[in-house]
Amino acid sequence: MVTSKDVAARAGVAQSTVSYVMSGKRSISPETRAKVEAAIAELTYHPNAGARALASNRTSVIGLVVSMSRTTEMAGLLPFIEAITSDARVRDHDIVLVTEEAGTASLERLSGRSLVDAIILMDVHLHDARLERAAQLAVPVVLIGLAEDNHGLDAVDFDFEAAGIMAAEELLDRGYTRVVVIGEPPEVNVRAYGFIAGFERGALEACHRRAAEAEVLRPAAPGWNAFLAEVSEQIGKARTSRVGFIARTPQTVAWVLQLLLIGHLEPGRDVGLVGMCTDEDSETFSTPVTNVSPRPREVSYAAMNRVFELLDGAEPGGQIQLIPPRLTRRCTT
């Protein structure tokens, strides 16, 4: 098995220099770093995780705790997982993904068994019973999402209220006089999630300031059939008035476009549509969609940066970082 001693000999440096290049704990000249990295690539060297953990009291693993259920919008979640995993790889760390709904048990298992160096906790509720215990764990915990009480934990989130305002103002600025926000089915407790409530609140407040008609439409059940029954009536009104829709998820965007196709209505001419989805998603629909990007990569990178600041000795202080929205106008407005 290739060791760091072999890498040091091939690069012509001290073994400690190889360690510093791998850990990033000391500044190494670009020339020396290049030699070490070339030797690592040539010898296909992989550090022994167990040895590194014993030597550094670190596992080089970050825990990512997410909720998954039949109402989870996977198209919205996956970019976060992808960005966090990619950033961890660049930092020579791995991610362990924990998806079960187990209250604080998952957090305590990850920390108590020394499985991870830190934890990123997603899907934070407004009143989240996990956070008090999370703040007491032996490893740093960073939230993606906000609760009414973060219990002193550092948090990163997308500014959903500003996103709702931005989406509504885009429709109003383009001449649509009635705004329909397509909300969640009853089984999704909107009050439990600040990001949903904040997005809807921002959109409605923007319409109220402009004296425009607005409502949140909640399908009676999840799935296409309930969506079809609830939204078709609203789309029919577009034949006599200027109606604009705000769709909070990629799935909802796709369904609105499908209904417009069925009704022989042209998005951007007969009906306005703004979706909250990534730029990549917005370009894949049958009609490129004006979108407010939730910027999952920027949110994820900010959370990872804070994790490593805490691992490097920064003091947790309830720091909150909000990532601002960005709108790109396309065919649907």
Side-chain angles (χ1 to χ4, degrees), residues 3-27:
T3 68
S4 61
K5 185 175 181 180
D6 300 319
V7 173
R10 180 63 59 91
V13 299
Q15 191 173 357
S16 59
T17 301
V18 176
S19 176
Y20 295 144
V21 169
M22 298 295 296
S23 67
K25 289 185 177 180
R26 288 195 183 180
S27 178

Side-chain angles (χ1 to χ4, degrees), residues 204-315:
L204 295 177
E205 287 179 355
C207 293
H208 178 73
R209 286 197 298 268
R210 301 273 287 269
E213 186 180 354
E215 69 170 297
V216 177
L217 181 66
R218 304 192 191 284
W224 167 255
N225 290 333
F227 181 88
L228 178 65
E230 298 282 351
V231 182
S232 291
E233 180 182 351
Q234 299 295 330
I235 287 181
K237 294 178 181 179
R239 300 186 185 279
T240 57
S241 63
R242 296 280 288 168
V243 178
F245 289 88
I246 298 175
R248 202 191 59 77
T249 68
Q251 177 69 82
T252 307
V253 172
W255 283 351
V256 171
L257 289 174
Q258 182 67 19
L259 282 180
L260 294 179
L261 179 63
I262 293 170
H264 303 288
L265 294 169
E266 183 178 332
R269 184 193 67 186
D270 304 314
V271 175
L273 173 62
V274 177
M276 195 171 79
C277 55
T278 64
D279 295 328
E280 293 85 352
D281 282 340
S282 67
E283 294 283 0
T284 64
F285 296 114
S286 56
T287 300
V289 173
T290 296
N291 74 306
V292 177
S293 173
R295 306 182 68 183
R297 291 170 182 80
E298 291 85 346
V299 172
S300 300
Y301 295 152
M304 287 290 283
N305 283 337
R306 189 54 182 161
V307 162
F308 282 91
E309 288 173 357
L310 295 173
L311 288 175
D312 288 340
E315 288 293 326

